[in-house]
Amino acid sequence: NFFKCTITSPPYNVGLNHIYEEGKQLKYKTKKEDVKENYFEWLSVRLKEMIRVSEYVFFNIQSLAKNKIEIIMLLNEYRQFYKDEIIWTKQGQPAMERGVLNSCFEHIYIFSKNRPEMRKFYGYDFRGTLKNVQTFGQVGKNPYTSIHKAQFPQSLPDFFIENFCKVG
C-alpha cells in the first residue's frame, strides 16, 4: 500500500497542443487520453496520488512550449510537498525551429511528505556524495527506445532506486 519512491516522466503534452506551426504534421493524431485541454488537471490528479502512496516522488519533466505554465501551476499547487530538485543534464538535440535554444537538461522535481520544508533526506547517510546535477548517460542504450523514443536512460531510475530505496 506504500512505496518508498515513485519515479515518473509524464507526457510533456507536446503532441496535440498546437505547438507546431500551420502546415506541420502533428506527432499524435489520435489519442484515447488527450491531455491537451486539461493538462494541469491531468498532471495534478496523478501527482496527488503519487504523493499519497510514496515517501518520495521523483518527477522528471521538461519545460517545452505550452506546458511551461502548467508546470509552474503544478509546482505552486504542490509547494507544500516540494523537497528539492535535480537537474538532469543530457546531450542536447538540435532545436527543430530557428530561434529556439537547444534543450540540454530536464528537471526532476522531488516531492515528499517527509519534512519537505527541509532539504535533508532523513534516514539516509550520504554527505557530499550526491549532487543535484546529474548526467545519466545516453538514452539510445535503453532497449525500449524502439518502442518509444522519449525515454530516459536506465541509469536514471537506477540512481534513484540505489540511493533512495532502502533494501527491503
Side-chain angles (χ1 to χ4, degrees), residues 138-152:
Q138 296 296 319
V139 173
K141 307 245 188 248
N142 188 325
Y144 303 104
T145 53
S146 62
I147 298 168
H148 192 283
K149 298 292 182 204
Q151 293 191 16
F152 45 67

Side-chain angles (χ1 to χ4, degrees), residues 8 15-16 41-42 59 75 83 94 108 118 126 147 150 160 168:
T8 187
L16 292 172
E41 288 83 6
W42 190 92
F59 193 87
L75 290 171
K83 186 159 194 76
I108 301 173
M118 304 299 287
F126 53 81
I147 298 168
F160 292 106

Side-chain angles (χ1 to χ4, degrees), residues 22-37:
E22 189 173 334
K24 293 192 175 186
Q25 187 172 352
L26 294 173
K27 186 173 182 180
Y28 307 107
K29 290 189 176 190
T30 60
K31 209 175 196 182
K32 284 184 177 181
E33 195 175 49
D34 181 14
V35 298
K36 170 188 159 191
E37 297 299 326

Side-chain angles (χ1 to χ4, degrees), residues 50-103:
M50 288 180 234
I51 291 170
R52 186 185 76 77
V53 301
S54 304
E55 183 173 0
Y56 298 108
V57 176
F58 300 96
F59 193 87
N60 167 228
I61 197 157
Q62 186 175 25
S63 294
L64 297 169
K66 292 241 180 182
N67 75 356
K68 291 184 286 192
I69 300 302
E70 286 85 356
I71 291 170
I72 292 168
M73 290 169 49
L74 192 73
L75 290 171
N76 184 54
E77 181 77 14
Y78 292 92
R79 67 191 175 275
Q80 72 272 26
F81 300 107
Y82 179 88
K83 186 159 194 76
D84 212 334
E85 175 179 2
I86 291 176
I87 300 295
W88 163 26
T89 63
K90 58 184 192 171
Q91 185 178 5
Q93 296 180 355
M96 299 306 290
E97 297 289 331
R98 293 191 184 281
V100 176
L101 297 172
N102 289 348
S103 184

Side-chain angles (χ1 to χ4, degrees), residues 122-135:
Y122 294 91
Y124 295 86
D125 198 30
F126 53 81
R127 182 177 179 191
T129 57
L130 292 182
K131 297 178 181 178
N132 62 359
V133 177
Q134 293 286 327
T135 303

